[in-house]
Structures are given as C-alpha cells and as structure tokens.
Amino acid sequence: MRLHIAIDGPVAAGKTTLGNALAARLGILHLDTGAMYRALGLTALRRGIDTQDEQAIVDLCRKLVISVSYGEDGQHTFADGEDVTGQIRTPEVSRAGSMVSRYAEVRKAMVKLQQKLASETDMILDGRDICTTVLPNATVKIYLTAATEERARRRWLEMQKKGMPDTYEEVLQAVKDRDYQDMNREVEPLRQAEDAVLMDTTNMTVDEEVEAILKIVEEKR
Ligand code: DC
C-alpha cells in the first residue's frame, strides 16, 4: 500500500516547510498543491483575465497545462511548460490563487491531477482539501495550524528575507483575508477532516513537527 501523508491547514501554517522536511526524512516526494492554484492565478493575472470571471477562469484552466517536476531543490511548477516556481509567491499571486480556487470546475481538474500524481508514488501532499477530498484514504492525515499572529509573523519574516516591502500589519490582514476566503468558499471550503490529527504549531519547531508526524507514521504502519 502507498504511503500518503495528507496535510491541510490555513495560510502560512508551515505546511510547505513541514512537507519538505518530511520528504527529506522519508525520501519521498512532496506535492505542494497550492502551487498549482497559484500557477493558474499567475497565468490569469499575466493574461489580464479577471479572476472574478468564473467562466473565463474555467476556460483558461481547461486549456492550461499545469505540471510539476522535482529537482535537487524540490518541486518546480510549470504552466504550459514554463517554470513559474519563482513567480508564484508574491502577494498578488497569493490572492489570485485563492480567487481561482473557488470555482468547482477548477477544483475538479486540480483534484484529478493531484490524485493521478499521488497514485503513482508514495507522497506527502499539502493543501486545503487533501484529507477531505483528494486523498480521503491517506495513511496519515494532519490538520496543521497556528495562531493567526504567529502565522503572519512567519510569513512576514519569509517575505523580509526575500526583500519584499510589506509591513507586518499588511501581511496579517492578507492572512486574515485569505483564511476567510478559503474557509468560506462554497466549494470544498477548508475544514479539519474528522479523522485528521490536529497539530497546533504555534510553539513547535519544524523538527518537533517532523518527529511528531514520523511517530504517527510508525504507528499507522
Ligand atoms: O497553500 P497556498 O497558500 O500556496 O495555496 C494558495 C491558494 O490555493 C489558497 O489560498 C487556496 C488554494 N488551495 C486550495 O484551494 N486547495 C488546495 N489543495 C491548495 C490550495
């Protein structure tokens, strides 16, 4: 049986960092599913397509080929063959990714692609609907969260390192806005799956998170 670790949680809960650390420890791949919604959002922005226009976004999603590959530095995400990994972490693309993820047809296409990738190998997947929709039978299901202010602080520090000028207050507001949108959309809103283990990482280091999950993996196996 495949080893599938599903991690869901709100904005900047540390899902990607944790996913990468676990992938390194277990020697398996980590699929950052948010990057796929971001690649679609980025493409809409670049082509001047209004992210509020559901039909236009669904049309774009049908035509656009989103794919991933893995290198020494982890996942690379592609839109129509172009590596967009370096372009999808801006605040504008974060908002656009969240906007396009509201549409049922978009979600259907992304879920199908993610399920196909997961069926081929052992994998850690992180996102918003992995435990509930993408892999309801995952080996281990985690709902990762942390206090809103702590998540904003982590995201702000990350952005500072990249030389982005946003203030902590702006980042905090953006985190709250995106949480609201991800948790209140009509289609598959973010929620903790009933059988997911809740991990509040407000006072945890990444190493502690990894150890805690490895313990759960051991128990499940
Ligand atoms: O995890 P992230 O911040 O990179 O995700 C970007 C957006 O994509 C997020 O605001 C909501 C959406 N998303 C989703 O709806 N389902 C997923 N499995 C992953 C992300």
Side-chain angles (χ1 to χ4, degrees), residues 60-211:
L60 174 65
C61 182
R62 284 201 186 112
K63 281 183 259 156
L64 191 70
V65 179
I66 292 174
S67 56
V68 298
S69 75
Y70 292 89
E72 296 263 297
D73 54 348
Q75 176 177 327
H76 283 245
T77 308
F78 299 79
D80 274 349
E82 179 194 345
D83 188 345
V84 293
T85 312
Q87 279 87 61
I88 55 176
R89 298 287 153 197
T90 65
E92 294 74 32
V93 177
S94 298
R95 274 195 299 278
S98 180
M99 292 292 280
V100 302
S101 76
R102 294 175 305 161
Y103 305 131
E105 285 300 313
V106 167
R107 302 205 65 80
K108 229 197 257 172
M110 298 288 186
V111 168
K112 203 169 149 200
L113 181 56
Q114 291 154 17
Q115 287 174 331
K116 181 173 177 294
L117 293 170
S119 72
E120 292 163 358
T121 184
D122 290 353
M123 201 176 239
I124 299 148
L125 289 88
D126 88 75
R128 303 288 188 290
D129 60 344
I130 311 301
C131 302
T132 49
T133 308
V134 179
L135 296 176
N137 298 317
T139 327
V140 175
K141 294 184 179 184
I142 307 290
Y143 188 84
L144 198 73
T145 190
T148 313
E149 288 69 20
E150 172 62 13
R151 291 189 283 118
R153 193 186 68 84
R154 292 177 190 170
R155 179 54 49 93
W156 177 68
L157 285 174
E158 226 175 81
M159 291 168 77
Q160 291 260 300
K161 271 192 213 149
K162 289 187 192 161
M164 293 179 175
D166 306 57
T167 64
Y168 168 77
E169 281 70 29
E170 286 168 335
V171 176
L172 177 63
Q173 192 55 51
V175 165
K176 286 181 178 168
D177 291 347
R178 205 143 64 86
D179 273 355
Y180 182 85
Q181 182 153 293
D182 294 345
M183 291 172 181
N184 292 284
R185 66 177 176 226
E186 279 174 29
V187 193
E188 290 157 13
L190 168 67
R191 62 178 177 83
Q192 183 186 341
E194 274 171 26
D195 52 354
V197 176
L198 175 67
M199 268 181 75
D200 184 326
T201 69
T202 308
N203 296 307
M204 283 174 94
T205 64
V206 178
D207 281 346
E208 287 168 340
E209 294 169 29
V210 169
E211 291 309 323

